[in-house]
Amino acid sequence: MQARDLMETDVKTVDDDDDVADVFRKFARYEFSGFPVVDGDDRVVGVVTESDLVDLFEPDDETLWIPIGLPPFVDTLTYQVKPPWADLDLGVDMVRNADRPVSDVMSTDVATVTPDAPVDEVLDLLVGDDPDINRVPVVDGDGRIVGIIARQDVIRAFRGKRLA
């Protein structure tokens, strides 16, 4: 089994010149948690996820460093500060970030495979050390997107083989 046997060819993408508001509309329209970001030649240049956009509305500095002990305070206690959503001004943050280019918030270190990649390579990416990889774009030799493989595509394929 190869990547081409698992991939979906009807790939929803966002363009690298789209802004955050465009990406929000795509998330509202489609039930995906992330999209490949492509340039004008359909080459994969990044991935943008829902969590990338949520990060726009969280304060940059969420950690308090509290010195403990006696001077010179050789130890510190780290305390994570998470304000409730009600305390964040989402309207102001949305207006402030709506025109921001997706290239500012996307991940550029994208794991991809080619259509002839063995299924083990796809599995290694989906169950590897990076828990943020939920989908793997499939690209041709020039880096142009030709498909995408999500975790559920792999599960569906293996289930189909077991039932056959």
Side-chain angles (χ1 to χ4, degrees):
M1 191 179 291
Q2 296 177 312
R4 71 171 37 88
D5 302 319
L6 302 171
M7 71 182 193
E8 281 289 327
T9 56
D10 183 21
V11 184
K12 305 299 183 215
T13 62
V14 296
D15 296 328
D16 61 351
D17 59 354
D18 284 350
D19 56 38
V20 167
D22 295 328
V23 177
F24 266 112
R25 281 190 285 279
K26 281 232 173 159
F27 278 117
R29 186 173 300 130
Y30 302 106
E31 293 184 20
F32 300 130
S33 61
F35 293 100
V37 181
V38 296
D39 64 13
D41 293 322
D42 279 341
R43 287 187 181 93
V44 175
V45 295
V47 170
V48 63
T49 65
E50 289 174 336
S51 63
D52 292 329
L53 298 183
V54 167
D55 289 346
L56 292 174
F57 302 102
E58 292 185 350
D60 289 336
D61 189 10
E62 297 177 357
T63 305
L64 291 178
W65 297 92
I66 303 169
I68 57 174
L70 300 172
F73 301 115
V74 292
D75 293 321
T76 58
L77 175 66
T78 303
Y79 181 73
Q80 196 73 15
V81 179
K82 287 278 193 186
W85 278 99
D87 292 349
L88 299 176
D89 192 341
L90 297 180
V92 169
D93 284 339
M94 183 60 194
V95 169
R96 184 180 357 201
N97 289 297
D99 292 333
R100 198 167 172 187
V102 71
S103 57
D104 283 358
V105 297
M106 71 182 187
S107 301
T108 56
D109 187 20
V110 184
T112 62
V113 295
T114 59
D116 58 346
V119 70
D120 287 342
E121 185 177 335
V122 176
L123 290 173
D124 287 345
L125 290 171
L126 291 174
V127 300
D129 292 335
D130 189 345
D132 294 331
I133 297 179
N134 296 314
R135 68 205 56 77
V136 179
V138 182
V139 298
D140 66 12
D142 294 323
R144 290 186 181 88
I145 193 150
V146 295
I148 193 160
I149 302 170
R151 286 184 177 161
Q152 62 266 25
D153 297 324
V154 175
I155 293 168
R156 194 176 301 117
F158 280 101
R159 182 175 184 272
K161 279 220 178 261
R162 290 194 53 132
L163 294 176

